Amino acid sequence: KAGVTQTPRYLIKTRGQQVTLSCSPISGHRSVSWYQQTPGQGLQFLFEYFSETQRNKGNFPGRFSGRQFSNSRSEMNVSTLELGDSALYLCASSPNTGGRETQYFGPGTRLLVL
Amino acid sequence: DAKTTQPPSMDCAEGRAANLPCNHSTISGNEYVYWYRQIHSQGPQYIIHGLKNNETNEMASLIITEDRKSSTLILPHATLRDTAVYYCIVKGNEKLTFGTGTRLTIIP
C-alpha cells in the first residue's frame, strides 16, 4: 500500500497570508491527525478527523482549521500567518480512531513564513 | 504533557544492540506503549507497540516490565541508518503525545 502523502512538501509564505495543506491517508484509513513540529515546542497535536468529523483538538488558536472529505483526504488551513507558524506540519492516518489504532505519518510539509 | 521519561541522548556502536529505556510510571491499564523514531526532518516512523507482553517485529523488540512502569526498545544490530530521535509514547484513547525523545547516535 502507498503510504501517507502530503502536498506540497515545501512552502514559503509571507505574514498575513493563508495556506492550505493537503494529506492523503493510507488507502482504507479513515482517521487523519495533524501535528505541528517546531524546534522550540517539539511535536504538538493539532486535530484529528474521523468520518469527516473533528474528533479531537489540540491547544491551537482558531487560525488553524481543518476538514476531511468523504474519501478521507484531509486539508488543514492556517489563516493570517505569523512568523511562529513556520514549522514542519505532519499528517498521520490510522484505520479507525481510538487507542488501539497505530498512526502512520507522512513526510510532512515544511512551511516557512517570512 | 508527555507521560514518559527518556534519556536525552545515547550512543551505540554499529553492529551492537541498542537498548533504549523509557519510564512510564503513571501508565494506566488500558494504555499502550508506542515507539516511533524520526530521522532528521522526516515524518516519524512507527516501530512497535505493546500493552503488557513483550513484542517483536522485523525492526525491533519491545520489553515491558511486569508492573508496566518501564520498557526497553531493543534494536538488535544497530546500523548507521538507525541514527534518529526515538520517541516512547503512552497512548490511551487520545492523541499521541510526543516528549523530547532520545537522540540515538550509531557510532561506526
Side-chain angles (χ1 to χ4, degrees):
Chain A
K1 280 187 181 178
V4 178
T5 58
Q6 293 186 245
T7 57
R9 294 293 312 279
Y10 303 93
L11 204 51
I12 300 176
K13 292 286 189 178
T14 57
R15 278 182 301 175
Q17 289 186 309
Q18 74 165 14
V19 67
T20 299
L21 311 181
S22 180
C23 172
S24 292
I26 293 172
S27 177
H29 285 196
R30 298 164 60 199
S31 171
V32 173
S33 296
W34 289 89
Y35 295 81
Q36 181 198 65
Q37 185 172 30
T38 60
Q41 298 298 319
L43 262 156
Q44 293 187 292
F45 171 78
L46 280 157
F47 29 66
E48 179 198 6
Y49 284 87
F50 177 77
S51 292
E52 302 178 63
T53 302
Q54 189 178 88
R55 294 295 298 260
N56 286 299
K57 189 176 190 303
N59 189 26
F60 279 82
R63 299 185 298 107
F64 292 82
S65 63
R67 60 177 176 169
Q68 187 180 35
F69 302 96
S70 59
N71 62 357
S72 295
R73 190 177 70 85
S74 177
E75 291 181 345
M76 68 161 284
N77 183 275
V78 188
S79 62
T80 319
L81 283 166
E82 301 177 358
L83 296 180
D85 297 333
S86 294
L88 180 66
Y89 289 89
L90 293 156
C91 163
S93 77
S94 60
N96 291 293
T97 188
R100 298 188 177 190
E101 299 293 324
T102 298
Q103 294 185 14
Y104 298 90
F105 284 80
T109 293
R110 186 163 295 280
L111 171 65
L112 177 62
V113 181
L114 301 176
Chain B
D1 291 335
K3 301 178 183 179
T4 61
T5 304
Q6 300 177 252
S9 64
M10 293 180 62
D11 293 339
C12 178
E14 188 178 16
R16 304 296 293 268
N19 296 277
L20 291 90
C22 179
N23 287 323
H24 31 81
S25 58
T26 60
I27 191 170
S28 300
N30 66 341
E31 291 180 320
Y32 287 77
V33 179
Y34 275 81
W35 283 84
Y36 283 81
R37 72 181 182 184
Q38 188 173 25
I39 297 169
H40 183 63
S41 293
Q42 298 180 21
Q45 178 188 24
Y46 165 76
I47 301 173
I48 198 166
H49 74 283
L51 184 62
K52 52 185 175 183
N53 298 320
N54 298 337
E55 302 287 345
T56 296
N57 63 20
E58 65 278 3
M59 289 183 66
S61 294
L62 174 60
I63 309 298
I64 302 174
T65 58
E66 192 168 344
D67 63 7
R68 303 214 317 127
K69 293 185 177 182
S70 65
S71 61
T72 301
L73 178 74
I74 301 172
L75 307 179
H77 305 287
T79 70
L80 298 179
R81 294 182 183 181
D82 292 322
T83 292
V85 177
Y86 287 75
Y87 297 98
C88 169
I89 301 165
V90 167
K91 180 178 181 293
N93 288 321
E94 72 290 356
K95 59 192 183 299
L96 288 171
T97 301
F98 287 81
T100 54
T102 296
R103 183 173 297 277
L104 175 67
T105 303
I106 306 302
I107 310 296

